[in-house]
Amino acid sequence: MILVLKTNVEEKKIEELIRTLESSQIRVERTKGVDYTILALIGDTRSVNEGTILNSDIVHRIIHVQEPYKQANRLFHPENTTVKVGDCTIGGGEFAVIAGPCSVESEEQILTVAREVKKSGAKFLRGGAYKPRTSPYSFQGLGERGLDLLKLAKEETGLLIVSEILSTDQLDRFVRDVDIIQVGARNMQNFSLLKELGRVQKPVILKRGMSATMEEWLMSAEYIMAEGNKNVILCERGIRTFETYTRNTFDISAIPMIKHYSHLPIIADPSHATGRWWMVEPLAKAAVAAGADGLMVEVHPNPEKALSDGAQSLTLESYKKLMNEINLMIGKLAC
Ligand code: PEP
Ligand code: MN
C-alpha cells in the first residue's frame, strides 16, 4: 500500500503518522518527490484502517499495490490448482466437459441426454433442479425431484453430477447427491451462501456475476476459500454489456487474465454467454484456444420444447459434432 501525502504538510504530522503505522508492525519507507511525499507501507497492511487514514488531513490518496484476494492469488500459490472430482481432475492440463440440459425436466429427458453425452466422452452431466429464473412465472425447476433424477442418471451412466444451488438450506442435499455444486451468476455475491460452501469440501463451480469485475469474482472465490474449501473452479459465462444481439458478451480475456492472477481452474460456458446455439461451437473453440480448463454446454434432446434456455441448447447431434472438434483441438479425449 502506498500513501501519497498532500503538499506542504508539517513534518511533525508526517512523523506522527509514521509512528502510528509502525506501532502496528508495518515498515514505512518514505520518499520525497518534487511535489509529493510518498509513504510505502511494507508488511501485512490488513490492520491499516483506510478510513482513518483518508480522513487524516495529510493523506491525499491511497494506492493499492497488492490484490485484495490472497487464497486465490497466484502470487502466494504459483502452481495451478487441480480439483479432483471422482476419477476426473479439473485444471492442471486436464480438459473437462460438463454437458446437459439447462433444467432437468423429466426422467426420459435427463436419461436420454446422459446416455448420449456419455457416448461422446463427457464425464460430467449438468442439469438445473432449482432454476433462478428472471420471471417468477417461468418454470422454476423440479426441485428435489430434479436431484433424484440426476442421481438416477448417475447410477445408470456413472457420470458425475453438476447442479446449481440457490440457498443454504439446500446444502445438505447437494453435498450428498451432487459432485460439483454450481453457484450461478445471480448468486456470485451471495456471501452467506459462499461462506457455507467454504465449510464443506465439495468442489464448487463459481460462475461470474453478470456485471462482476474479475476482482469481484476472485473476491467471491476468496469467500469460499477463506472458510477452508480450496476446491473452487471459476466459470466465465458472459457479462452484461450494451450489446443486444447476444444474451451476454463472452469475455474471452477473462481466461488468460484469471490464469495470470489466480491459480484456480477456469472453464467457459459459451451457452449462457451467447444465448444462441449456433454460436456455441465457435466460442467453445475460442475458449480452448485461450487456455480454458474445460467447457460447460447446454444440450437438449429437443431444444424447441425445452422449458428453459432452448435457444442456446445444442441438439444431441450438434453436441457430438462439437465434441469431435474439441477433441481434435486438445489432441485427446476430454474428461
Ligand atoms: C445455468 O447454468 O443454467 C445458469 C442459470 O447459468 P448462469 O448462472 O450463468 O446464468
Ligand atoms: Mn441455462
Side-chain angles (χ1 to χ4, degrees):
M1 187 185 282
I2 289 172
L3 307 184
V4 181
L5 304 188
K6 290 180 182 162
T7 47
N8 305 321
V9 177
E10 270 178 69
E11 178 59 27
K12 196 172 79 191
K13 288 197 168 174
I14 301 180
E15 282 169 15
E16 208 175 289
L17 176 61
I18 294 178
R19 262 199 312 281
T20 314
L21 290 165
E22 285 181 339
S23 69
S24 45
Q25 310 301 316
I26 286 159
R27 194 156 62 79
V28 181
E29 277 184 12
R30 179 174 166 170
T31 312
K32 171 101 189 74
V34 181
D35 295 317
Y36 291 101
T37 293
I38 282 169
L39 303 182
L41 276 47
I42 298 150
D44 186 356
T45 51
R46 276 178 297 187
S47 59
V48 173
N49 186 331
E50 292 186 28
T52 315
I53 290 187
L54 275 178
N55 282 340
S56 85
D57 55 355
I58 67 165
V59 176
H60 170 59
R61 100 183 158 101
I62 298 179
I63 301 172
H64 295 274
V65 284
Q66 239 182 40
E67 296 82 28
Y69 46 90
K70 307 284 172 205
Q71 307 263 352
N73 199 324
R74 194 180 274 287
L75 204 60
F76 308 113
H77 187 294
E79 325 76 55
N80 289 323
T81 279
T82 56
V83 177
K84 192 107 190 73
V85 196
D87 59 354
C88 281
T89 302
I90 302 186
E94 298 293 322
F95 194 85
V97 177
I98 301 165
C102 179
S103 306
V104 181
E105 297 171 3
S106 66
E107 180 172 332
E108 193 196 344
Q109 175 238 26
I110 197 69
L111 288 180
T112 307
V113 177
R115 289 176 193 135
E116 286 305 312
V117 185
K118 184 172 168 140
K119 269 195 230 152
S120 308
K123 294 273 172 64
F124 298 90
L125 176 69
R126 64 148 286 151
Y130 297 91
K131 295 306 302 176
R133 306 303 299 280
T134 304
S135 165
Y137 310 118
S138 303
F139 177 59
Q140 302 286 306
L142 296 180
E144 296 255 359
R145 169 91 184 127
L147 293 175
D148 292 342
L149 293 177
L150 286 168
K151 197 171 160 193
L152 193 70
K154 179 178 178 174
E155 279 160 9
E156 188 193 304
T157 60
L159 288 170
L160 297 160
I161 301 300
V162 180
S163 198
E164 178 174 353
I165 192 168
L166 291 192
S167 64
T168 50
D169 56 295
Q170 297 160 351
L171 189 57
D172 288 346
R173 177 76 206 265
F174 272 73
V175 168
R176 241 188 357 260
D177 291 331
V178 165
D179 298 289
I180 307 183
I181 303 177
Q182 177 176 324
V183 176
R186 291 155 192 83
N187 263 323
M188 188 205 84
Q189 285 188 317
N190 180 340
F191 299 122
S192 45
L193 177 60
L194 300 179
K195 280 188 189 170
E196 289 293 329
L197 288 166
R199 294 182 192 128
V200 296
Q201 287 307 312
K202 253 310 151 185
V204 174
I205 287 181
L206 179 64
K207 287 191 147 195
R208 183 178 185 179
M210 279 182 221
S211 306
T213 64
M214 294 189 214
E215 188 162 295
E216 286 162 343
W217 188 14
L218 287 169
M219 287 307 284
S220 290
E222 193 78 10
Y223 261 93
I224 302 171
M225 299 175 85
E227 294 294 324
N229 187 356
K230 315 290 183 212
N231 301 307
V232 178
I233 302 145
L234 300 168
C235 177
E236 163 60 41
R237 46 78 72 203
I239 48 174
R240 185 161 284 186
T241 67
F242 51 80
E243 182 51 68
T244 56
Y245 271 24
T246 48
R247 181 176 179 179
N248 290 293
T249 296
F250 185 43
D251 185 5
I252 192 85
S253 62
I255 297 165
M257 188 66 88
I258 289 289
K259 286 206 163 285
H260 180 80
Y261 283 104
S262 178
H263 51 86
L264 294 174
I266 176 166
I267 63 169
D269 171 353
S271 308
H272 290 88
T274 58
R276 294 170 184 249
W277 71 268
W278 50 270
M279 290 192 78
V280 170
E281 183 182 314
L283 292 198
K285 288 177 176 171
V288 175
D293 295 295
L295 289 172
M296 174 182 276
V297 287
E298 288 188 339
V299 184
H300 195 284
N302 188 356
E304 272 145 51
K305 294 270 161 61
L307 297 181
S308 59
D309 288 351
Q312 66 194 35
S313 298
L314 297 181
T315 58
L316 300 171
E317 297 75 56
S318 45
Y319 171 72
K320 200 165 152 193
K321 177 171 172 290
L322 170 72
M323 284 308 288
N324 287 338
E325 305 266 339
I326 296 298
N327 286 332
L328 281 176
M329 269 185 95
I330 62 175
K332 61 179 175 192
L333 277 183
C335 188

